Amino acid sequence: AQTVTQSQPEMSVQEAETVTLSCTYDTSESDYYLFWYKQPPSRQMILVIRQEAYKQQNATENRFSVNFQKAAKSFSLKISDSQLGDAAMYFCAYRSAGGNQFYFGTGTSLTVIP
Amino acid sequence: DTAVSQTPKYLVTQMGNDKSIKCEQNLGHDTMYWYKQDSKKFLKIMFSYNNKELIINETVPNRFSPKSPDKAHLNLHINSLELGDSAVYFCASSRRQGYEQYFGPGTRLTVT
């Protein structure tokens, strides 16, 4: 089974600064999808960003961007101009192109300091 | 127009009781899932159905039984509840291949 590793259980960032959350994964597949989900205190799981492995270009969504390094099996999330509302648990997830199962990391708790 | 809905959002019950959590999605997705999130926020897949067919059945006690009457609904029934069943249970849905999951709001189950 694929594994997803988030090595930073907790991170903090000053408001308006930039922070990068790390994620690595282990797979022998060549075609897959990667996701970052955000879970604020409300507990709702919200999709932040999605990356297709066949695309070399890194995905971006407003202040959120990824650094996808396929050879290194790394998929980090960069949050620019951090806002108080970014404080949440962030989960990295993997899904193979032909499969139904999602594999989640253990999460990184992000604190935003005013 | 809630995409994935779950009822109830909170459930407090005593050990030994039987309870159900209902999930409905109006996104037209083929695949639905149940996850358990423990107190450390770890998300564990429990079950997945594709077009009413069980496709993922992780190692969970057989006190947990999913039921999918149609592809828009996936319910979770739990028999003989135990203290360790206390957690947040999430329902999710996705298109068959390659796409993200959409999650319900979660059901916080507390067993006393």
Side-chain angles (χ1 to χ4, degrees), chain B residues 3-64:
Chain B
V4 183
S5 60
Q6 290 178 234
T7 54
K9 289 187 180 176
Y10 298 93
L11 187 52
V12 181
T13 188
Q14 292 184 326
M15 284 176 57
N17 285 348
D18 302 338
K19 291 293 178 184
S20 292
I21 306 171
K22 295 186 176 182
C23 178
E24 177 181 1
Q25 55 96 3
N26 62 6
L27 297 166
H29 289 166
D30 295 314
T31 309
M32 297 184 72
Y33 307 78
W34 277 112
Y35 287 90
K36 179 181 181 181
Q37 187 176 45
D38 61 23
S39 57
K40 294 184 179 179
K41 303 291 187 182
F42 182 65
L43 271 168
K44 179 184 174 184
I45 181 75
M46 300 175 70
F47 303 103
S48 178
Y49 272 75
N50 182 264
N51 281 327
K52 301 194 297 177
E53 180 186 352
L54 182 65
I55 56 172
I56 297 173
N57 186 0
E58 291 295 303
T59 307
V60 298
N62 56 16
R63 298 181 294 104
F64 290 79

Short mmCIF file of all heavy atoms in Angstrom, two decimals, chain B residues 3-64:
data_model
loop_
_atom_site.label_atom_id
_atom_site.label_comp_id
_atom_site.label_asym_id
_atom_site.label_seq_id
_atom_site.Cartn_x
_atom_site.Cartn_y
_atom_site.Cartn_z
N ALA B 3 -23.45 19.41 -0.55
CA ALA B 3 -22.99 18.39 -1.47
C ALA B 3 -23.00 17.01 -0.82
O ALA B 3 -23.51 16.06 -1.38
CB ALA B 3 -21.59 18.74 -1.97
N VAL B 4 -22.38 16.92 0.37
CA VAL B 4 -22.37 15.68 1.13
C VAL B 4 -22.91 16.01 2.52
O VAL B 4 -22.35 16.84 3.21
CB VAL B 4 -20.95 15.09 1.24
CG1 VAL B 4 -21.00 13.75 1.99
CG2 VAL B 4 -20.33 14.91 -0.14
N SER B 5 -23.98 15.36 2.87
CA SER B 5 -24.60 15.64 4.17
C SER B 5 -24.58 14.38 5.04
O SER B 5 -24.66 13.26 4.53
CB SER B 5 -26.02 16.15 4.00
OG SER B 5 -26.81 15.18 3.32
N GLN B 6 -24.48 14.61 6.33
CA GLN B 6 -24.50 13.51 7.29
C GLN B 6 -25.46 13.85 8.40
O GLN B 6 -25.55 15.01 8.82
CB GLN B 6 -23.12 13.33 7.95
CG GLN B 6 -22.05 12.80 7.09
CD GLN B 6 -20.72 12.68 7.82
OE1 GLN B 6 -19.71 13.21 7.34
NE2 GLN B 6 -20.68 12.00 8.95
N THR B 7 -26.14 12.85 8.89
CA THR B 7 -26.99 13.03 10.06
C THR B 7 -26.83 11.84 10.98
O THR B 7 -26.77 10.69 10.53
CB THR B 7 -28.47 13.17 9.67
OG1 THR B 7 -28.85 12.04 8.85
CG2 THR B 7 -28.73 14.46 8.92
N PRO B 8 -26.75 12.10 12.30
CA PRO B 8 -26.71 13.43 12.92
C PRO B 8 -25.29 13.98 12.93
O PRO B 8 -24.34 13.29 12.58
CB PRO B 8 -27.16 13.11 14.35
CG PRO B 8 -26.64 11.73 14.61
CD PRO B 8 -26.73 11.00 13.29
N LYS B 9 -25.11 15.21 13.32
CA LYS B 9 -23.79 15.80 13.46
C LYS B 9 -23.16 15.48 14.81
O LYS B 9 -21.95 15.45 14.95
CB LYS B 9 -23.85 17.31 13.26
CG LYS B 9 -24.13 17.70 11.82
CD LYS B 9 -24.02 19.20 11.61
CE LYS B 9 -24.31 19.54 10.14
NZ LYS B 9 -24.30 20.99 9.90
N TYR B 10 -24.00 15.26 15.78
CA TYR B 10 -23.53 14.88 17.11
C TYR B 10 -24.38 13.70 17.58
O TYR B 10 -25.59 13.68 17.38
CB TYR B 10 -23.65 16.03 18.11
CG TYR B 10 -22.81 17.22 17.75
CD1 TYR B 10 -23.32 18.27 17.00
CD2 TYR B 10 -21.47 17.30 18.16
CE1 TYR B 10 -22.55 19.36 16.67
CE2 TYR B 10 -20.69 18.38 17.84
CZ TYR B 10 -21.23 19.41 17.09
OH TYR B 10 -20.45 20.49 16.76
N LEU B 11 -23.72 12.78 18.24
CA LEU B 11 -24.41 11.59 18.72
C LEU B 11 -23.77 11.18 20.04
O LEU B 11 -22.58 10.86 20.08
CB LEU B 11 -24.28 10.46 17.69
CG LEU B 11 -25.05 9.16 17.88
CD1 LEU B 11 -26.52 9.42 18.13
CD2 LEU B 11 -24.86 8.27 16.67
N VAL B 12 -24.55 11.23 21.10
CA VAL B 12 -24.08 10.81 22.42
C VAL B 12 -24.92 9.62 22.85
O VAL B 12 -26.15 9.70 22.84
CB VAL B 12 -24.19 11.94 23.46
CG1 VAL B 12 -23.66 11.46 24.81
CG2 VAL B 12 -23.43 13.18 23.00
N THR B 13 -24.27 8.55 23.21
CA THR B 13 -25.00 7.34 23.52
C THR B 13 -24.23 6.51 24.54
O THR B 13 -23.06 6.78 24.81
CB THR B 13 -25.25 6.51 22.24
OG1 THR B 13 -26.13 5.43 22.53
CG2 THR B 13 -23.94 5.98 21.68
N GLN B 14 -24.87 5.52 25.08
CA GLN B 14 -24.24 4.69 26.10
C GLN B 14 -23.67 3.43 25.49
O GLN B 14 -24.11 2.96 24.42
CB GLN B 14 -25.26 4.35 27.19
CG GLN B 14 -25.68 5.54 28.03
CD GLN B 14 -26.61 5.14 29.16
OE1 GLN B 14 -27.41 4.22 29.03
NE2 GLN B 14 -26.51 5.84 30.28
N MET B 15 -22.71 2.89 26.19
CA MET B 15 -22.12 1.61 25.77
C MET B 15 -23.20 0.56 25.60
O MET B 15 -24.16 0.51 26.37
CB MET B 15 -21.14 1.13 26.85
CG MET B 15 -19.81 1.85 26.88
SD MET B 15 -18.79 1.27 28.25
CE MET B 15 -18.70 -0.48 27.91
N GLY B 16 -23.01 -0.24 24.59
CA GLY B 16 -23.93 -1.35 24.36
C GLY B 16 -25.08 -1.02 23.41
O GLY B 16 -25.75 -1.93 22.90
N ASN B 17 -25.30 0.28 23.19
CA ASN B 17 -26.40 0.66 22.29
C ASN B 17 -26.01 0.44 20.82
O ASN B 17 -24.84 0.28 20.48
CB ASN B 17 -26.76 2.13 22.50
CG ASN B 17 -27.55 2.34 23.77
OD1 ASN B 17 -28.03 1.39 24.39
ND2 ASN B 17 -27.67 3.59 24.19
N ASP B 18 -27.03 0.46 19.97
CA ASP B 18 -26.85 0.38 18.52
C ASP B 18 -27.25 1.73 17.93
O ASP B 18 -28.31 2.27 18.29
CB ASP B 18 -27.74 -0.71 17.91
CG ASP B 18 -27.49 -2.08 18.50
OD1 ASP B 18 -26.40 -2.30 19.05
OD2 ASP B 18 -28.39 -2.94 18.39
N LYS B 19 -26.44 2.24 17.00
CA LYS B 19 -26.75 3.53 16.39
C LYS B 19 -26.41 3.51 14.91
O LYS B 19 -25.59 2.70 14.45
CB LYS B 19 -25.96 4.66 17.06
CG LYS B 19 -26.39 4.97 18.48
CD LYS B 19 -27.80 5.54 18.50
CE LYS B 19 -28.24 5.82 19.93
NZ LYS B 19 -29.65 6.28 20.00
N SER B 20 -27.03 4.43 14.18
CA SER B 20 -26.76 4.57 12.75
C SER B 20 -26.42 6.01 12.41
O SER B 20 -26.94 6.95 13.03
CB SER B 20 -27.97 4.14 11.93
OG SER B 20 -28.19 2.77 12.04
N ILE B 21 -25.57 6.16 11.42
CA ILE B 21 -25.24 7.47 10.85
C ILE B 21 -25.59 7.40 9.37
O ILE B 21 -25.25 6.42 8.69
CB ILE B 21 -23.75 7.80 11.00
CG1 ILE B 21 -23.31 7.68 12.47
CG2 ILE B 21 -23.47 9.21 10.50
CD1 ILE B 21 -21.80 7.79 12.65
N LYS B 22 -26.26 8.44 8.91
CA LYS B 22 -26.69 8.44 7.51
C LYS B 22 -25.87 9.44 6.70
O LYS B 22 -25.45 10.49 7.22
CB LYS B 22 -28.17 8.79 7.41
CG LYS B 22 -29.06 7.75 8.05
CD LYS B 22 -30.52 8.05 7.81
CE LYS B 22 -31.39 6.94 8.38
NZ LYS B 22 -32.84 7.17 8.12
N CYS B 23 -25.66 9.11 5.45
CA CYS B 23 -24.91 9.98 4.55
C CYS B 23 -25.58 10.02 3.19
O CYS B 23 -26.02 8.99 2.66
CB CYS B 23 -23.47 9.49 4.40
SG CYS B 23 -22.49 10.47 3.25
N GLU B 24 -25.63 11.21 2.64
CA GLU B 24 -26.22 11.40 1.31
C GLU B 24 -25.37 12.37 0.52
O GLU B 24 -24.90 13.37 1.07
CB GLU B 24 -27.64 11.94 1.43
CG GLU B 24 -28.30 12.23 0.10
CD GLU B 24 -29.70 12.80 0.24
OE1 GLU B 24 -30.16 13.00 1.38
OE2 GLU B 24 -30.35 13.05 -0.79
N GLN B 25 -25.17 12.10 -0.75
CA GLN B 25 -24.46 13.04 -1.61
C GLN B 25 -25.31 13.33 -2.85
O GLN B 25 -25.93 12.43 -3.40
CB GLN B 25 -23.06 12.51 -1.99
CG GLN B 25 -23.02 11.15 -2.63
CD GLN B 25 -22.98 11.16 -4.15
OE1 GLN B 25 -22.93 12.21 -4.79
NE2 GLN B 25 -23.00 9.97 -4.75
N ASN B 26 -25.28 14.61 -3.24
CA ASN B 26 -26.07 15.01 -4.41
C ASN B 26 -25.17 15.46 -5.56
O ASN B 26 -25.55 16.29 -6.38
CB ASN B 26 -27.06 16.12 -4.03
CG ASN B 26 -26.36 17.38 -3.53
OD1 ASN B 26 -25.13 17.48 -3.57
ND2 ASN B 26 -27.12 18.33 -3.05
N LEU B 27 -23.95 14.90 -5.59
CA LEU B 27 -22.98 15.28 -6.60
C LEU B 27 -22.97 14.33 -7.79
O LEU B 27 -22.21 14.54 -8.74
CB LEU B 27 -21.58 15.29 -5.96
CG LEU B 27 -21.41 16.32 -4.85
CD1 LEU B 27 -20.14 16.05 -4.06
CD2 LEU B 27 -21.39 17.73 -5.42
N GLY B 28 -23.74 13.27 -7.72
CA GLY B 28 -23.75 12.30 -8.80
C GLY B 28 -22.50 11.42 -8.83
O GLY B 28 -22.20 10.79 -9.84
N HIS B 29 -21.77 11.37 -7.72
CA HIS B 29 -20.56 10.56 -7.65
C HIS B 29 -20.89 9.07 -7.55
O HIS B 29 -21.95 8.67 -7.06
CB HIS B 29 -19.72 10.97 -6.43
CG HIS B 29 -19.08 12.31 -6.59
ND1 HIS B 29 -18.53 12.98 -5.53
CD2 HIS B 29 -18.92 13.09 -7.67
CE1 HIS B 29 -18.03 14.13 -5.96
NE2 HIS B 29 -18.26 14.22 -7.26
N ASP B 30 -19.92 8.27 -8.04
CA ASP B 30 -20.12 6.82 -8.02
C ASP B 30 -19.62 6.17 -6.74
O ASP B 30 -20.07 5.09 -6.37
CB ASP B 30 -19.35 6.17 -9.18
CG ASP B 30 -19.90 6.59 -10.52
OD1 ASP B 30 -21.13 6.58 -10.68
OD2 ASP B 30 -19.09 6.94 -11.41
N THR B 31 -18.67 6.81 -6.08
CA THR B 31 -17.98 6.16 -4.97
C THR B 31 -18.19 6.94 -3.68
O THR B 31 -18.09 8.16 -3.66
CB THR B 31 -16.47 6.05 -5.27
OG1 THR B 31 -16.30 5.47 -6.57
CG2 THR B 31 -15.78 5.18 -4.23
N MET B 32 -18.48 6.20 -2.62
CA MET B 32 -18.66 6.80 -1.30
C MET B 32 -17.81 6.07 -0.28
O MET B 32 -17.48 4.88 -0.44
CB MET B 32 -20.14 6.79 -0.89
CG MET B 32 -21.02 7.62 -1.82
SD MET B 32 -22.73 7.71 -1.30
CE MET B 32 -22.61 8.79 0.14
N TYR B 33 -17.46 6.79 0.79
CA TYR B 33 -16.51 6.29 1.78
C TYR B 33 -16.97 6.62 3.19
O TYR B 33 -17.67 7.60 3.42
CB TYR B 33 -15.14 6.98 1.60
CG TYR B 33 -14.55 6.95 0.23
CD1 TYR B 33 -15.00 7.80 -0.77
CD2 TYR B 33 -13.49 6.08 -0.07
CE1 TYR B 33 -14.44 7.79 -2.04
CE2 TYR B 33 -12.92 6.07 -1.34
CZ TYR B 33 -13.40 6.93 -2.31
OH TYR B 33 -12.83 6.91 -3.57
N TRP B 34 -16.50 5.78 4.13
CA TRP B 34 -16.58 6.11 5.55
C TRP B 34 -15.17 6.13 6.12
O TRP B 34 -14.38 5.20 5.89
CB TRP B 34 -17.41 5.10 6.32
CG TRP B 34 -18.88 5.34 6.26
CD1 TRP B 34 -19.82 4.58 5.64
CD2 TRP B 34 -19.59 6.45 6.85
NE1 TRP B 34 -21.06 5.14 5.79
CE2 TRP B 34 -20.96 6.28 6.53
CE3 TRP B 34 -19.22 7.56 7.62
CZ2 TRP B 34 -21.95 7.18 6.94
CZ3 TRP B 34 -20.20 8.44 8.01
CH2 TRP B 34 -21.54 8.25 7.69
N TYR B 35 -14.87 7.21 6.87
CA TYR B 35 -13.61 7.34 7.57
C TYR B 35 -13.89 7.51 9.07
O TYR B 35 -14.91 8.08 9.46
CB TYR B 35 -12.85 8.59 7.12
CG TYR B 35 -12.25 8.51 5.75
CD1 TYR B 35 -12.97 8.91 4.63
CD2 TYR B 35 -10.94 8.07 5.56
CE1 TYR B 35 -12.42 8.86 3.36
CE2 TYR B 35 -10.37 8.01 4.30
CZ TYR B 35 -11.13 8.40 3.21
OH TYR B 35 -10.56 8.35 1.96
N LYS B 36 -12.92 7.08 9.86
CA LYS B 36 -12.95 7.36 11.29
C LYS B 36 -11.76 8.26 11.59
O LYS B 36 -10.62 7.97 11.20
CB LYS B 36 -12.83 6.05 12.08
CG LYS B 36 -12.81 6.24 13.59
CD LYS B 36 -12.68 4.90 14.32
CE LYS B 36 -12.68 5.07 15.82
NZ LYS B 36 -12.53 3.77 16.55
N GLN B 37 -12.02 9.36 12.29
CA GLN B 37 -10.94 10.24 12.72
C GLN B 37 -10.84 10.20 14.24
O GLN B 37 -11.77 10.58 14.94
CB GLN B 37 -11.16 11.68 12.24
CG GLN B 37 -9.96 12.58 12.54
CD GLN B 37 -10.12 13.98 11.98
OE1 GLN B 37 -11.16 14.60 12.09
NE2 GLN B 37 -9.05 14.49 11.34
N ASP B 38 -9.71 9.74 14.72
CA ASP B 38 -9.55 9.60 16.17
C ASP B 38 -9.12 10.93 16.82
O ASP B 38 -9.03 11.96 16.15
CB ASP B 38 -8.55 8.48 16.49
CG ASP B 38 -7.16 8.75 15.94
OD1 ASP B 38 -6.82 9.93 15.70
OD2 ASP B 38 -6.41 7.77 15.73
N SER B 39 -8.86 10.86 18.11
CA SER B 39 -8.56 12.09 18.86
C SER B 39 -7.25 12.73 18.43
O SER B 39 -7.04 13.92 18.65
CB SER B 39 -8.51 11.78 20.36
OG SER B 39 -7.54 10.78 20.61
N LYS B 40 -6.38 11.96 17.77
CA LYS B 40 -5.13 12.52 17.26
C LYS B 40 -5.27 13.01 15.83
O LYS B 40 -4.28 13.35 15.18
CB LYS B 40 -4.01 11.47 17.35
CG LYS B 40 -3.65 11.10 18.77
CD LYS B 40 -2.49 10.15 18.83
CE LYS B 40 -2.14 9.81 20.27
NZ LYS B 40 -1.01 8.86 20.36
N LYS B 41 -6.49 13.03 15.34
CA LYS B 41 -6.82 13.54 14.01
C LYS B 41 -6.42 12.60 12.88
O LYS B 41 -6.48 12.99 11.72
CB LYS B 41 -6.18 14.92 13.76
CG LYS B 41 -6.55 15.96 14.77
CD LYS B 41 -8.01 16.35 14.66
CE LYS B 41 -8.34 17.52 15.57
NZ LYS B 41 -9.77 17.87 15.50
N PHE B 42 -6.02 11.39 13.21
CA PHE B 42 -5.64 10.45 12.16
C PHE B 42 -6.89 9.95 11.45
O PHE B 42 -7.84 9.50 12.09
CB PHE B 42 -4.86 9.29 12.75
CG PHE B 42 -4.40 8.30 11.73
CD1 PHE B 42 -3.48 8.67 10.77
CD2 PHE B 42 -4.90 7.01 11.72
CE1 PHE B 42 -3.06 7.76 9.81
CE2 PHE B 42 -4.49 6.10 10.76
CZ PHE B 42 -3.57 6.47 9.81
N LEU B 43 -6.86 10.01 10.11
CA LEU B 43 -8.00 9.58 9.30
C LEU B 43 -7.79 8.14 8.87
O LEU B 43 -6.83 7.83 8.18
CB LEU B 43 -8.10 10.44 8.04
CG LEU B 43 -8.93 11.71 8.13
CD1 LEU B 43 -8.68 12.56 6.91
CD2 LEU B 43 -10.40 11.40 8.26
N LYS B 44 -8.72 7.30 9.21
CA LYS B 44 -8.62 5.90 8.85
C LYS B 44 -9.79 5.50 7.98
O LYS B 44 -10.94 5.69 8.36
CB LYS B 44 -8.59 5.03 10.11
CG LYS B 44 -8.51 3.54 9.82
CD LYS B 44 -8.59 2.72 11.08
CE LYS B 44 -8.64 1.24 10.72
NZ LYS B 44 -8.82 0.37 11.88
N ILE B 45 -9.48 4.95 6.80
CA ILE B 45 -10.55 4.48 5.92
C ILE B 45 -11.20 3.26 6.54
O ILE B 45 -10.52 2.39 7.13
CB ILE B 45 -10.00 4.15 4.51
CG1 ILE B 45 -11.12 3.68 3.58
CG2 ILE B 45 -8.89 3.11 4.58
CD1 ILE B 45 -12.03 4.76 3.11
N MET B 46 -12.51 3.21 6.44
CA MET B 46 -13.24 2.05 6.96
C MET B 46 -13.83 1.25 5.81
O MET B 46 -13.59 0.07 5.66
CB MET B 46 -14.34 2.50 7.91
CG MET B 46 -13.85 3.27 9.12
SD MET B 46 -15.20 3.89 10.11
CE MET B 46 -15.85 2.40 10.81
N PHE B 47 -14.64 1.93 5.02
CA PHE B 47 -15.35 1.25 3.93
C PHE B 47 -15.44 2.18 2.72
O PHE B 47 -15.37 3.39 2.85
CB PHE B 47 -16.80 0.91 4.34
CG PHE B 47 -16.92 0.06 5.56
CD1 PHE B 47 -17.29 0.62 6.77
CD2 PHE B 47 -16.69 -1.30 5.50
CE1 PHE B 47 -17.43 -0.15 7.91
CE2 PHE B 47 -16.83 -2.09 6.63
CZ PHE B 47 -17.19 -1.51 7.84
N SER B 48 -15.63 1.53 1.56
CA SER B 48 -15.94 2.29 0.37
C SER B 48 -16.88 1.48 -0.51
O SER B 48 -16.74 0.26 -0.62
CB SER B 48 -14.68 2.65 -0.41
OG SER B 48 -15.03 3.36 -1.60
N TYR B 49 -17.84 2.18 -1.09
CA TYR B 49 -18.79 1.57 -2.02
C TYR B 49 -18.68 2.26 -3.36
O TYR B 49 -18.54 3.49 -3.44
CB TYR B 49 -20.22 1.72 -1.51
CG TYR B 49 -20.67 0.63 -0.59
CD1 TYR B 49 -20.21 0.57 0.72
CD2 TYR B 49 -21.55 -0.35 -1.02
CE1 TYR B 49 -20.63 -0.44 1.57
CE2 TYR B 49 -21.98 -1.36 -0.17
CZ TYR B 49 -21.51 -1.40 1.12
OH TYR B 49 -21.93 -2.40 1.96
N ASN B 50 -18.77 1.49 -4.42
CA ASN B 50 -18.86 2.02 -5.76
C ASN B 50 -20.13 1.49 -6.39
O ASN B 50 -20.27 0.27 -6.57
CB ASN B 50 -17.63 1.63 -6.58
CG ASN B 50 -17.67 2.22 -7.97
OD1 ASN B 50 -18.09 1.57 -8.92
ND2 ASN B 50 -17.26 3.46 -8.09
N ASN B 51 -21.04 2.38 -6.72
CA ASN B 51 -22.33 1.96 -7.29
C ASN B 51 -22.97 0.82 -6.48
O ASN B 51 -23.36 -0.22 -7.02
CB ASN B 51 -22.17 1.53 -8.74
CG ASN B 51 -22.10 2.71 -9.68
OD1 ASN B 51 -22.73 3.74 -9.44
ND2 ASN B 51 -21.33 2.57 -10.73
N LYS B 52 -23.05 1.01 -5.21
CA LYS B 52 -23.68 0.10 -4.25
C LYS B 52 -22.88 -1.17 -3.99
O LYS B 52 -23.33 -2.04 -3.25
CB LYS B 52 -25.10 -0.27 -4.69
CG LYS B 52 -26.05 0.90 -4.85
CD LYS B 52 -27.50 0.44 -4.94
CE LYS B 52 -27.74 -0.41 -6.16
NZ LYS B 52 -29.14 -0.91 -6.22
N GLU B 53 -21.71 -1.28 -4.58
CA GLU B 53 -20.90 -2.47 -4.36
C GLU B 53 -19.75 -2.16 -3.42
O GLU B 53 -19.02 -1.18 -3.62
CB GLU B 53 -20.34 -2.98 -5.69
CG GLU B 53 -19.47 -4.21 -5.56
CD GLU B 53 -18.83 -4.60 -6.88
OE1 GLU B 53 -19.19 -4.00 -7.92
OE2 GLU B 53 -17.96 -5.49 -6.87
N LEU B 54 -19.56 -2.99 -2.42
CA LEU B 54 -18.47 -2.80 -1.46
C LEU B 54 -17.14 -3.07 -2.13
O LEU B 54 -16.91 -4.17 -2.66
CB LEU B 54 -18.66 -3.74 -0.27
CG LEU B 54 -17.63 -3.65 0.86
CD1 LEU B 54 -17.71 -2.28 1.55
CD2 LEU B 54 -17.86 -4.77 1.87
N ILE B 55 -16.24 -2.08 -2.12
CA ILE B 55 -14.96 -2.25 -2.77
C ILE B 55 -13.78 -2.12 -1.81
O ILE B 55 -12.68 -2.58 -2.11
CB ILE B 55 -14.79 -1.25 -3.94
CG1 ILE B 55 -14.97 0.20 -3.48
CG2 ILE B 55 -15.74 -1.59 -5.07
CD1 ILE B 55 -14.63 1.23 -4.53
N ILE B 56 -13.98 -1.45 -0.71
CA ILE B 56 -12.93 -1.35 0.31
C ILE B 56 -13.56 -1.72 1.64
O ILE B 56 -14.59 -1.19 2.02
CB ILE B 56 -12.33 0.07 0.40
CG1 ILE B 56 -11.65 0.46 -0.90
CG2 ILE B 56 -11.35 0.16 1.57
CD1 ILE B 56 -11.18 1.91 -0.95
N ASN B 57 -12.93 -2.65 2.31
CA ASN B 57 -13.42 -3.10 3.61
C ASN B 57 -12.21 -3.33 4.49
O ASN B 57 -11.63 -4.41 4.49
CB ASN B 57 -14.24 -4.38 3.44
CG ASN B 57 -14.89 -4.82 4.74
OD1 ASN B 57 -14.74 -4.17 5.77
ND2 ASN B 57 -15.62 -5.91 4.70
N GLU B 58 -11.80 -2.26 5.16
CA GLU B 58 -10.61 -2.36 5.99
C GLU B 58 -10.91 -3.14 7.26
O GLU B 58 -12.05 -3.50 7.53
CB GLU B 58 -10.10 -0.96 6.33
CG GLU B 58 -9.53 -0.21 5.13
CD GLU B 58 -8.29 -0.87 4.57
OE1 GLU B 58 -7.31 -1.05 5.32
OE2 GLU B 58 -8.29 -1.21 3.37
N THR B 59 -9.87 -3.39 7.99
CA THR B 59 -10.02 -4.20 9.20
C THR B 59 -10.72 -3.40 10.28
O THR B 59 -10.09 -2.59 10.98
CB THR B 59 -8.63 -4.66 9.71
OG1 THR B 59 -7.93 -5.29 8.66
CG2 THR B 59 -8.81 -5.61 10.88
N VAL B 60 -12.00 -3.54 10.34
CA VAL B 60 -12.78 -2.90 11.38
C VAL B 60 -13.63 -3.99 12.04
O VAL B 60 -13.93 -5.00 11.41
CB VAL B 60 -13.68 -1.76 10.84
CG1 VAL B 60 -12.85 -0.67 10.21
CG2 VAL B 60 -14.69 -2.30 9.85
N PRO B 61 -14.00 -3.79 13.30
CA PRO B 61 -14.84 -4.79 13.96
C PRO B 61 -16.12 -5.04 13.18
O PRO B 61 -16.68 -4.11 12.57
CB PRO B 61 -15.12 -4.15 15.33
CG PRO B 61 -14.03 -3.18 15.54
CD PRO B 61 -13.67 -2.66 14.18
N ASN B 62 -16.60 -6.26 13.20
CA ASN B 62 -17.82 -6.55 12.44
C ASN B 62 -19.06 -5.97 13.11
O ASN B 62 -20.18 -6.19 12.64
CB ASN B 62 -17.97 -8.04 12.16
CG ASN B 62 -17.95 -8.86 13.44
OD1 ASN B 62 -18.12 -8.32 14.54
ND2 ASN B 62 -17.74 -10.15 13.31
N ARG B 63 -18.86 -5.24 14.19
CA ARG B 63 -19.98 -4.48 14.76
C ARG B 63 -20.36 -3.29 13.85
O ARG B 63 -21.44 -2.72 13.99
CB ARG B 63 -19.60 -3.92 16.14
CG ARG B 63 -19.28 -5.01 17.16
CD ARG B 63 -18.93 -4.39 18.52
NE ARG B 63 -17.70 -3.61 18.49
CZ ARG B 63 -17.66 -2.28 18.47
NH1 ARG B 63 -18.77 -1.57 18.46
NH2 ARG B 63 -16.49 -1.67 18.46
N PHE B 64 -19.44 -2.95 12.95
CA PHE B 64 -19.69 -1.88 12.01
C PHE B 64 -20.19 -2.48 10.70
O PHE B 64 -19.52 -3.33 10.11
CB PHE B 64 -18.41 -1.10 11.73
CG PHE B 64 -17.93 -0.28 12.89
CD1 PHE B 64 -17.24 -0.87 13.95
CD2 PHE B 64 -18.15 1.09 12.94
CE1 PHE B 64 -16.79 -0.13 15.02
CE2 PHE B 64 -17.70 1.84 14.01
CZ PHE B 64 -17.03 1.24 15.05
#
